[in-house]
Amino acid sequence: MQKINSLIIIWDQNSWGGVDSHLAYLINTEAFRDIDITIYSNKENQGIQRLKKLLRKDVKFINFKNIINPKINNFILKKIIFIIKPILFLISYMRFKIIFANKKSDLFLAQCGGYGTFREELAALLAINNRNFKIISMVIHHACVFPPAFTNFFLKIINHLLSKKLTSLINVSKATRDSVFYKSNLLDNQLLHDIVIHNGVEVRNLINKKSHNINTSVRIGLISRIEKYKGHEDLISAIKLLPNSYIDKFRFYLIGSGEKQEVLELTDFIKKSNLDNVVRLKGYVDKHINEIIEEFDLTLSLTRTFEGFGLSIAESITSEIPVITTDVGAIKEYLNKDMCEIIQPSSPEQIKDALINFYDNREKWKTRAARAKLYLDENFNSETMANKYLKHFNDKLGY
């Protein structure tokens, strides 16, 4: 099938997250094995070092500095940066004109975590010369956001220009695609080919799966950046609702880093709730995601607003670990209650009930997790995803 021989990826990100996992699953497939790949990413991207450990050794990395969204803590400087973002975008555009002036490749692929704001990969897309790339495409991983009124005019122009520049637009879920359609003018150009290709994860052999001591506390993990919308506070509120006879049966581990203020507020909430001995913040854990997940008996995804796909959920399922997830974004595009426990977002009461149900019916939950693994291994594996990407690109090339 493969006709794409060279690929340049542009990727703008700050903290580690789902995009680095997605890229690892995509690039490490048999389908992408012989493609020459170069990844351009901002120096501030915390996911780079993680990705380098996951990828094959011949993938090349080139760094650039984030001009549009620099990390600044000073309140006044933040306001100034916000006001001059259109100018910073133009500067970044000119910078990428120079960087990519003599670069050629079969495919130029932008990875966009969340659409709707000024971003480096958008400046790069507009800056590159169409004649140097057979295909120019973008993958959107998260919900599109409504731009602030001040920037709306500029972003509409950028969207219009991109709609004419892109060969195609790829969304990781229908929910993501719908958010782009309703919250931006990017898809107003009906000639722009947009498709949905769901994420896929590596099929895992669990012959040597770690077994937990049934006499110890049930270990429950929430693997996510610490941000308000990720539902950490909902979990703490749910634990407070648990009967005393259950609280001591659980140990909760929050895996992931976050902005200093967010972490301090969550830490304070846990202390005020007298749950220091039950809930432990572990920060970013520098291990392969499978090693982290296999430490737990149950994993949680408690996002309050939107999940573009929910890779950590799929990763837990392919490790045959039971999951409790909120019904947001793309979750029901590939999961149902026959595979995991799906609850309403921002609902501590439902979290509490699900935790009790899990403890009282663990064998049933394990059976459901095993059934879910078989389904995801067959329908949402990384090789299937990669072949869909290549078929889409080859169709664009006319093969």
Side-chain angles (χ1 to χ4, degrees):
M1 176 189 294
Q2 181 183 312
K3 299 297 180 182
I4 300 291
N5 295 309
S6 58
L7 162 62
I8 288 178
I9 292 172
I10 183 82
W11 172 34
D12 173 25
Q13 181 173 285
N14 285 325
S15 62
W16 60 275
V19 178
D20 19 308
S21 296
H22 163 80
L23 286 173
Y25 288 127
L26 183 69
I27 294 171
N28 285 336
T29 57
E30 185 71 19
F32 274 66
R33 184 186 62 185
D34 297 324
I35 297 177
D36 180 69
I37 298 174
T38 302
I39 298 176
Y40 287 78
S41 187
N42 54 308
K43 295 177 182 177
E44 305 83 356
N45 187 348
Q46 296 175 12
I48 283 291
Q49 295 308 316
R50 175 173 178 258
L51 183 60
K52 285 181 178 179
K53 294 177 182 178
L54 298 174
L55 289 184
R56 64 180 206 242
K57 300 304 179 186
D58 64 329
V59 175
K60 297 176 284 293
F61 286 84
I62 299 175
N63 292 331
F64 60 84
K65 188 169 179 59
N66 194 316
I67 296 174
I68 300 172
N69 297 296
K71 290 202 77 173
I72 295 173
N73 295 321
N74 184 281
F75 177 77
I76 295 176
L77 282 177
K78 280 185 176 180
K79 292 296 182 183
I80 294 173
I81 291 294
F82 175 75
I83 293 170
I84 64 171
K85 273 194 187 293
I87 298 172
L88 295 177
F89 185 86
L90 182 60
I91 294 171
S92 182
Y93 167 83
M94 298 304 297
R95 182 259 312 266
F96 283 124
K97 274 282 187 187
I98 297 170
I99 290 176
F100 293 115
N102 299 312
K103 297 291 189 302
K104 293 185 179 182
S105 181
D106 292 332
L107 169 63
F108 189 93
L109 184 63
Q111 300 288 330
C112 183
Y115 199 77
T117 60
F118 291 102
R119 296 178 61 96
E120 295 284 357
E121 67 267 13
L122 307 188
L125 284 167
L126 292 178
I128 61 174
N129 190 328
N130 290 56
R131 294 191 297 272
N132 293 344
F133 302 94
K134 298 175 183 176
I135 300 172
I136 300 171
S137 189
M138 176 166 61
V139 183
I140 298 181
H141 292 268
H142 201 61
C144 180
V145 296
F146 283 119
F150 168 72
T151 61
N152 191 37
F153 172 75
F154 300 103
L155 287 165
K156 280 190 172 182
I157 294 174
I158 291 170
N159 290 337
H160 176 72
L161 294 173
L162 278 175
S163 72
K164 295 180 176 299
K165 186 76 175 263
L166 290 168
T167 310
S168 70
L169 176 71
I170 301 170
N171 301 277
V172 300
S173 65
K174 294 176 184 176
T176 297
R177 192 264 178 197
D178 287 347
S179 76
V180 175
F181 180 80
Y182 289 112
K183 295 180 180 180
S184 81
N185 60 311
L186 181 62
L187 295 176
D188 286 359
N189 179 7
Q190 296 183 5
L191 296 179
L192 174 60
H193 183 193
D194 70 286
I195 64 168
V196 171
I197 301 179
H198 288 105
N199 282 325
V201 294
E202 186 180 25
V203 175
R204 300 199 55 226
N205 186 331
L206 300 180
I207 292 176
N208 298 316
K209 182 182 176 183
K210 184 185 299 184
S211 60
H212 295 172
N213 187 338
I214 61 173
N215 296 317
T216 61
S217 300
V218 174
R219 296 169 60 88
I220 300 175
L222 198 168
I223 306 169
S224 168
R225 291 188 305 278
I226 295 177
E227 296 179 79
K228 291 287 185 187
Y229 83 98
K230 288 294 187 178
H232 295 85
E233 292 179 353
D234 296 330
L235 173 60
I236 307 308
S237 298
I239 298 170
K240 290 164 63 178
L241 295 174
L242 285 169
N244 290 333
S245 58
Y246 280 92
I247 288 181
D248 289 337
K249 300 180 189 299
F250 297 114
R251 288 293 179 271
F252 298 87
Y253 300 86
L254 309 184
I255 310 295
S257 58
E259 294 295 329
K260 185 177 180 180
Q261 187 59 37
E262 297 259 20
V263 175
L264 287 174
E265 289 177 7
L266 183 60
T267 301
D268 187 54
F269 187 34
I270 293 170
K271 286 182 178 178
K272 288 181 177 178
S273 302
N274 296 315
L275 293 173
D276 303 64
N277 295 327
V278 179
V279 182
R280 298 172 187 174
L281 276 77
K282 305 297 287 185
Y284 175 73
V285 176
D286 191 13
K287 290 183 179 178
H288 193 285
I289 186 63
N290 295 335
E291 293 181 58
I292 298 172
I293 288 171
E294 287 187 357
E295 292 291 328
F296 302 122
D297 303 290
L298 171 73
T299 63
L300 311 174
S301 177
L302 304 177
T303 307
R304 290 174 171 176
T305 52
F306 189 91
E307 280 290 353
F309 182 82
L311 266 174
S312 64
I313 301 169
E315 288 164 334
S316 293
I317 289 173
T318 56
S319 294
E320 220 169 273
I321 304 296
V323 173
I324 297 172
T325 179
T326 47
D327 182 11
V328 291
I331 298 304
K332 284 189 175 176
E333 288 182 35
Y334 72 105
L335 295 174
N336 58 45
K337 295 207 51 133
D338 288 334
M339 289 176 260
C340 63
E341 192 68 13
I342 301 176
I343 62 175
Q344 291 305 303
S346 303
S347 178
E349 187 73 31
Q350 289 190 27
I351 298 170
K352 180 260 297 182
D353 291 342
L355 291 171
I356 292 173
N357 187 292
F358 169 75
Y359 188 85
D360 292 342
N361 301 283
R362 274 178 281 178
E363 289 306 316
K364 289 183 179 179
W365 281 60
K366 288 180 182 178
T367 300
R368 179 166 62 173
R371 184 167 59 241
K373 173 177 170 52
L374 290 174
Y375 176 78
L376 257 69
D377 283 354
E378 183 175 347
N379 296 282
F380 294 93
N381 65 76
S382 54
E383 291 291 347
T384 296
M385 171 186 67
N387 283 319
K388 287 180 179 179
Y389 270 82
L390 281 185
K391 182 181 185 306
H392 168 67
F393 296 138
N394 289 333
D395 286 346
K396 288 287 151 191
L397 290 174
Y399 288 108

